[in-house]
Amino acid sequence: MATPTLPERSQLAYIASQAADSRLNVEIETEGMTLNIGPQHPATHGTLRIVAKLDGEQVIAAEPIMGYMHRGYEKLSEVRTYPQVTALVNRIDWMGSFANEVPFILAAEKLMEVEAPPRAQWIRTILFELSRIANVVLFLGDMAVQVGAITPVFYAFRDREYVLNQIEAVTGGRFHPNFDRIGGLKDDLPAGWIADTKAVLTKVDAFCDQLDTLLLGNEIFQARCRGVGVIPADVALSYGLSGANLRASGVDHDLRRDDPSGLVHDQIDWKVWTHPDGDSFARYWVRLQEVREAIKMVGQLLDGIPSGPIMAKVPRIIKVPAGEAYVATENPLGQMGYYVLSDGDLNPFRVKIRTPSFNNISICPWLLRGVYVPDIVTILGSLYFILGDIDR
Amino acid sequence: MPKPQVPGLIKGLGVTFKEMLSPNVTVQYPHEKEDPAPRARGVIALHEENCTSCMLCVRECPDWCIYIEGHKYLAPPRREGGKPRQRNKLDRFDIDYGLCMYCGICVEVCPFEALFWSPEYEYSEPRLADLLHDKTRLGDWMGTVPDFESYESGSEAKPKKVPR
Amino acid sequence: MNHLAGIDPILALSLAYWQQSLIKVGIVAIVVPTAALILGYVFLLKMMSFMQSRLGPMEAGPYGLLQLLADGAKFIQKEDIFPDAADRRVFALAPVVVLMSTFLLYLIIPVGPDAISANFDTGIFFALAVSSLSVIGILMAGWASASKYSLLGGLRAAGQLIAYELPLVLAVVGVVIQAGTLSMQGIVHAQATGEIFGFGWLGSPYILTQMLGFVIFMIAVQAELTQPPFDMPVAESEIVGGYQVEYSGFRFLFFFMGEFGTAFAFAAIASVLFLGGWWLPGFDADSNWLNVLGPIVMFVKVMVVSFFIFWIRFTYPRFREDQLQTFAWKFLIPLALANIVLTGIFKVVL
């Protein structure tokens, strides 16, 4: 091997120092213990690795190391056609997967200067909010497991099944709908779907009320979460947090209201929830209210679907004209954006995916100083990231 | 740590107690089975008469899991003294379900409506090679394809017919 | 008469001391795993499942009755793994120490006026002393596993178990003051023959007069068993099993049996101390019928107490370590001391 060049040498030195830092060490170190949390661990939603320097039970420094689940979406998109990219992109945030397709399709529609008919836009918004409900309901149960209560997560999974069944009845897939198309949607709603979905919404609402009593009112849960992991509003903005994490720190920012591009949130009546505290309890509370708000939104949307075609006139083989477009939407995890650069071909030239969880966990080194080891898990749980979203 | 107040803790106990007495939602597979939705993407069925080996599905599949081989042959002319007609004969149509990601692009892109979704999902095999379904097996799946459902009111779409 | 003899009156035979001891050892050796199995099946497999809106195991045997036996067989046939850097002897001995303290606890549980393995005059004192032996076992497991997660779990366990020994003992002191004796049979007799405000049919179950002591005892028992909300040492979502994480196969089975066996034993001690033990209202405290009915009565009382232990286990999230310690030292211990003072005052005045 030739002598490494200067940048390679510094790279190698960095890697070596990281490896030395994170080697499992059994001798008694009085300066502190380096603990590897992950990549296989029940508390990190996937293969996230956190290298924590501990002093007894207190964390001195913590650093997240990501990339264990990198699947190369952006490189793959360069050699796939637009419908194929839509099918792949479902798998970035696999809990609320319809929401992943929406900004990509909106960006492509912007480049093609095509607008989906109103019926398609309404049903798109309904599925968008349903995927938010499915995603955040899981969070509500999952954070309970991080904190130690093992029962709510089963209720969460049970009530999420109903929502997934409804998504399956329309799209054919529970986790990966692959339903959005440039110019509209793939197919229309089957008969009886609206009534079934309304029944499902009442069940999820009952689950939210159950959680109020079982978890939010529980003094132990409050003692674990209040005051833990406080993020002030200016720090949240400077680290690029988005979604419920930002709103729980008191910042009133929601892309559904401020920039509804292509979805019909401006035609229904709903409210943005914020909380001034910025601690883990606030993040949990804001997400619970958002689920309740989403249930109300879907109820309104179901009543007002306009009749009409489901697909605009687009050619069979999609060739997007040259240009660039960036569209961001308020996904369940935060703000997700796609930057699509096209050169007039069947495949996009470059797709850059701005995922919310990547920025959400960048705050970890700042946030995890001085907390106890159990608090690491509470904080990570309350920030709510999905590994596919971080690593793409 | 604040002094623990009792009411919230006791009410939480009430929730689990009530859940314990409510009926559970478990469906004991394989003794009982749930019916998937008619549109559920379980397996792809092939209607061989409609297929013309145009290779569109092969090209559009993101995983390249469809394998088609065909040849052209000359069919006898329709009337006396006419030209022999060129026809496509499908020799091989395999879908590898070990690779398939159930995206549905092949079904959507087929211009001759030869591929259909069926909600059947119980076809796991002990050997990976057995997950390659050949032409005959794909034709057998056609028996499980449900009819297309009617749409909600307000829709302008008309349900298509499944060729039997 | 030899105060350790117990089986003579029941069987109406005259057995030598070594024969009696052998029978008692055999009974305890059978009862402990059976108790662990019953508690595990009823509460862990079935009650937890119903609370979580599911059925639990149903395939192994009718309604999953044989599931735990199948699990036991699975554990026994596993490979015996030692971590590379582990201290082998200490690693192997730790589960044995924990299980041994469980077995010793069963010696003093009475199930009838004469049916008790060892009728000590200081029965409850022996029980409390022996139950704290498991702390040594847990510390051994945490240290010898040579893993940072085990170390964290072991240290947390040490702090927690020692902190919650005190409320446990102090809650019992209130009962002892009221009964006037440390012997288990003596406490049952005191509840059977006592009366509340002159009304004697119900006896004097100490749960009514020592309600505060009962609550403190149950909380301390929850902490001694490292069950949620006090399961920091085995916090599954953080340190993935704590001191138990490196154990597999039958060594893990020992920990499991130790946990559920101790739960049964503590529930039994709680029903003796507070619910009246094997005595049923309407019977004379020395009646021979209670030697037959006593086990059944005890079993029912143990199930009731265990129901509360496990109900709390499945509902609440867990305390953080510092909150746990604050709760014990700044709240439970002063409360228990106040309880003792009150009991003493009432005992002298009434």
Side-chain angles (χ1 to χ4, degrees):
Chain A
M1 180 173 106
T3 324
T5 61
L6 193 56
E8 282 175 52
R9 242 187 281 149
S10 65
Q11 250 183 343
L12 289 171
Y14 175 73
I15 295 174
S17 76
Q18 290 294 98
D21 258 348
S22 45
R23 208 181 309 128
L24 269 180
N25 203 326
V26 201
E27 297 114 33
I28 302 179
E29 292 175 314
T30 44
E31 323 88 48
M33 175 168 88
T34 309
L35 184 66
N36 239 336
I37 304 182
Q40 287 149 327
H41 195 274
T44 62
H45 300 245
T47 52
L48 177 69
R49 175 168 161 216
I50 301 207
V51 179
K53 257 195 153 49
L54 302 178
D55 173 25
E57 282 252 346
Q58 249 192 337
V59 173
I60 309 174
E63 190 184 326
I65 299 181
M66 354 170 187
Y68 284 91
M69 206 180 177
H70 181 69
R71 293 169 284 175
Y73 271 100
E74 300 179 2
K75 186 69 187 166
L76 262 182
S77 311
E78 294 175 11
V79 287
R80 295 277 184 273
T81 62
Y82 284 83
Q84 290 174 337
V85 173
T86 314
L88 283 177
V89 145
N90 269 307
R91 289 145 169 87
I92 293 184
D93 164 18
W94 52 72
M95 285 299 174
S97 15
F98 184 81
N100 300 323
E101 308 172 25
V102 170
F104 177 69
I105 294 286
L106 290 175
E109 284 180 356
K110 201 160 151 185
L111 285 175
M112 283 193 79
E113 284 164 26
V114 140
E115 203 186 315
R119 187 178 171 85
Q121 285 184 348
W122 278 71
I123 300 183
R124 232 181 230 171
T125 318
I126 292 177
L127 287 172
F128 190 71
E129 291 301 323
L130 275 182
S131 73
R132 180 187 310 273
I133 295 176
N135 196 346
V136 182
V137 156
L138 184 74
F139 159 79
L140 297 176
D142 202 47
M143 172 131 176
V145 171
Q146 315 290 8
V147 175
I150 48 180
T151 330
V153 75
F154 287 93
Y155 306 153
F157 271 114
R158 175 195 64 190
D159 292 315
R160 194 164 164 264
E161 275 299 301
Y162 302 130
V163 177
L164 290 180
N165 284 343
Q166 288 307 109
I167 298 183
E168 189 188 27
V170 185
T171 70
R174 283 150 40 105
F175 268 81
H176 302 305
N178 192 15
F179 201 59
D180 225 351
R181 298 281 177 268
I182 298 183
L185 294 172
K186 176 174 167 209
D187 205 353
D188 212 324
L189 302 173
W193 191 81
I194 296 183
D196 285 340
T197 311
K198 287 197 176 155
V200 161
L201 290 177
T202 33
K203 287 196 195 145
V204 184
D205 214 12
F207 164 71
C208 291
D209 294 331
Q210 246 186 348
L211 273 186
D212 249 340
T213 332
L214 188 52
L215 220 48
L216 281 184
N218 192 315
E219 281 81 12
I220 304 178
F221 182 79
Q222 292 189 1
R224 276 304 290 276
C225 293
R226 277 201 198 273
V228 168
V230 178
I231 307 181
D234 50 339
V235 174
L237 283 171
S238 72
Y239 272 98
L241 254 51
S242 52
N245 298 332
L246 194 60
R247 287 192 282 278
S249 295
V251 178
D252 191 11
H253 174 78
D254 191 327
L255 275 180
R256 290 175 289 175
R257 177 195 56 196
D258 303 331
D259 182 19
S261 56
L263 297 169
V264 295
H265 287 106
D266 48 352
Q267 298 184 32
I268 47 171
D269 190 26
W270 58 285
K271 182 180 147 127
V272 175
W273 292 90
T274 60
H275 198 286
D277 280 347
D279 55 10
S280 306
F281 187 80
R283 292 191 275 275
Y284 191 89
W285 185 89
V286 166
R287 287 200 173 92
L288 181 62
Q289 307 311 319
E290 284 190 354
V291 171
R292 288 197 166 125
E293 200 63 37
I295 293 174
K296 288 194 213 135
M297 286 203 269
V298 176
Q300 291 178 45
L301 287 167
L302 285 173
D303 287 329
I305 305 180
S307 29
I310 199 77
M311 188 81 170
K313 286 268 176 295
V314 281
R316 209 148 182 184
I317 311 282
I318 303 233
K319 271 196 181 180
V320 172
E324 56 183 28
Y326 176 75
V327 173
T329 53
E330 185 75 26
N331 275 33
L333 291 177
Q335 176 183 348
M336 184 179 211
Y338 285 77
Y339 170 75
V340 179
L341 177 62
S342 162
D343 59 352
D345 201 4
L346 281 174
N347 311 338
F349 186 74
R350 169 90 169 99
V351 174
K352 159 85 180 111
I353 312 175
R354 190 267 185 208
T355 48
S357 305
F358 189 79
N359 295 57
N360 281 353
I361 65 161
S362 66
I363 204 176
C364 278
W366 181 88
L367 195 53
L368 290 178
R369 291 165 315 181
V371 300
Y372 292 111
V373 169
D375 290 335
I376 300 181
V377 174
T378 313
I379 292 174
L380 287 181
S382 70
L383 283 179
Y384 192 42
F385 46 86
I386 302 249
L387 249 301
D389 214 41
I390 302 180
D391 288 339
R392 289 161 259 143
Chain B
M1 192 200 90
K3 271 277 187 68
Q5 290 126 19
V6 171
L9 292 169
I10 305 288
K11 279 200 271 193
L13 285 177
V15 170
T16 36
F17 193 77
K18 218 166 59 153
E19 264 311 319
M20 187 173 79
L21 302 174
S22 317
N24 53 53
V25 299
T26 314
V27 172
Q28 285 181 279
Y29 188 88
H31 309 293
E32 318 160 358
K33 294 185 199 185
E34 269 187 346
D35 285 322
R39 284 191 195 177
R41 302 199 284 254
V43 76
I44 302 175
L46 170 71
H47 188 71
E48 204 179 323
E49 281 108 51
N50 290 7
C51 177
T52 60
S53 331
C54 69
M55 302 286 188
L56 260 175
C57 55
V58 178
R59 266 177 288 173
E60 292 301 312
C61 174
D63 269 340
W64 306 295
C65 66
I66 304 185
Y67 307 102
I68 293 184
E69 277 166 24
H71 65 267
K72 296 200 206 313
Y73 70 100
L74 286 177
R78 227 177 293 174
R79 285 179 307 237
E80 271 302 317
K83 244 183 9 196
R85 297 165 291 154
Q86 204 176 54
R87 279 278 132 94
N88 271 342
K89 174 109 172 71
L90 194 58
D91 290 329
R92 173 187 178 213
F93 191 116
D94 295 341
I95 299 185
D96 186 356
Y97 283 104
L99 288 177
C100 174
M101 59 181 206
Y102 300 91
C103 63
I105 292 183
C106 57
V107 175
E108 206 182 327
V109 111
C110 175
F112 303 102
E113 286 179 25
L115 290 172
F116 296 91
W117 273 116
S118 151
E120 273 298 313
Y121 55 91
E122 286 165 313
Y123 49 94
S124 19
E125 304 281 348
R127 282 188 344 159
L128 191 55
D130 291 335
L131 280 180
L132 185 80
H133 292 202
D134 61 356
K135 204 166 46 138
T136 340
R137 201 159 171 202
L138 290 176
D140 290 336
W141 287 123
M142 276 306 290
T144 59
V145 172
D147 286 319
F148 285 107
E149 307 166 282
S150 53
Y151 290 107
E152 274 279 6
S153 60
S155 158
E156 289 182 4
K158 295 269 176 304
K160 297 189 277 205
K161 287 257 175 302
V162 176
R164 300 279 178 198
Chain C
M1 182 166 126
N2 185 0
H3 67 263
L4 287 176
I7 306 192
D8 265 350
I10 304 181
L11 295 180
L13 294 168
S14 199
L15 292 169
Y17 179 60
W18 66 269
Q19 286 166 324
Q20 290 193 29
S21 306
L22 213 56
I23 297 180
K24 287 178 196 175
V25 164
I27 292 179
V28 170
I30 296 177
V31 162
V32 173
T34 318
L37 277 179
I38 294 178
L39 270 192
Y41 176 75
V42 171
F43 293 113
L44 187 66
L45 290 186
K46 285 300 166 185
M47 180 175 114
M48 174 161 98
S49 311
F50 289 150
M51 279 190 178
Q52 291 165 349
S53 186
R54 58 189 180 95
L55 280 177
M58 297 285 281
E59 292 293 312
Y63 294 104
L65 278 170
L66 302 178
Q67 178 69 36
L68 282 175
L69 289 176
D71 275 338
K74 176 194 80 168
F75 276 125
I76 291 178
Q77 52 96 37
K78 281 197 173 183
E79 181 187 349
D80 191 12
I81 301 178
F82 286 94
D84 207 20
D87 187 338
R88 289 178 81 103
R89 245 178 316 156
V90 178
F91 187 82
L93 274 178
V96 176
V97 170
V98 172
L99 198 56
M100 186 186 65
S101 89
T102 308
F103 274 89
L104 284 174
L105 261 182
Y106 278 76
L107 284 179
I108 43 86
I109 298 179
V111 289
D114 307 302
I116 182 174
S117 293
N119 196 6
F120 293 139
D121 279 338
T122 54
I124 189 65
F125 181 72
F126 172 81
L128 292 171
V130 138
S131 73
S132 34
L133 279 181
S134 61
V135 184
I136 304 180
I138 292 176
L139 274 174
M140 285 163 69
W143 174 254
S145 296
S147 147
K148 291 186 188 180
Y149 285 110
S150 315
L151 193 62
L152 268 179
L155 293 174
R156 288 177 178 178
Q160 173 181 318
L161 293 174
I162 294 176
Y164 279 88
E165 284 288 336
L166 278 163
L168 195 69
V169 172
L170 292 176
V172 170
V173 168
V175 169
V176 167
I177 292 179
Q178 232 190 316
T181 165
L182 278 172
S183 131
M184 297 290 269
Q185 298 282 36
I187 295 178
V188 178
H189 274 269
Q191 289 182 70
T193 53
E195 34 181 57
I196 308 183
F197 297 124
F199 180 65
W201 187 77
L202 209 54
S204 165
Y206 289 152
I207 190 174
L208 295 176
T209 52
Q210 291 273 319
M211 185 43 129
L212 191 58
F214 179 67
V215 171
I216 298 177
F217 187 81
M218 291 314 295
I219 297 178
V221 160
Q222 198 86 2
E224 284 294 313
L225 295 171
T226 58
Q227 304 243 17
F230 303 104
D231 74 334
M232 264 288 129
V234 195
E236 254 184 63
S237 55
E238 303 160 26
I239 51 177
V240 204
Y243 60 88
Q244 292 174 1
V245 76
E246 296 290 343
Y247 284 93
S248 65
F250 70 93
R251 300 189 200 283
F252 179 74
L253 195 62
F254 282 179
F255 274 122
F256 188 78
M257 243 200 315
E259 180 182 340
F260 280 86
T262 318
F264 193 93
F266 269 120
I269 294 176
S271 30
V272 163
L273 291 178
F274 295 99
L275 290 178
W278 42 257
W279 183 74
L280 213 51
F283 281 86
D284 180 33
D286 290 314
S287 148
N288 220 18
W289 280 110
L290 283 175
N291 275 322
V292 174
L293 277 178
I296 303 175
V297 171
M298 271 295 280
F299 184 73
V300 170
K301 291 186 183 172
V302 165
M303 283 289 137
V304 169
V305 175
S306 309
F307 176 74
F308 282 97
I309 295 181
F310 285 98
W311 190 14
I312 295 184
R313 172 187 177 152
F314 300 134
T315 311
Y316 290 158
R318 70 177 68 98
F319 277 114
R320 206 172 57 204
E321 188 69 15
D322 60 324
Q323 294 166 343
L324 220 154
Q325 300 284 354
T326 321
F327 187 57
W329 292 97
K330 290 194 191 167
F331 187 68
L332 278 188
I333 291 183
L335 215 57
L337 288 171
N339 181 37
I340 294 177
V341 167
L342 269 174
T343 313
I345 293 177
F346 274 109
K347 181 83 175 175
V348 168
V349 162
L350 290 177

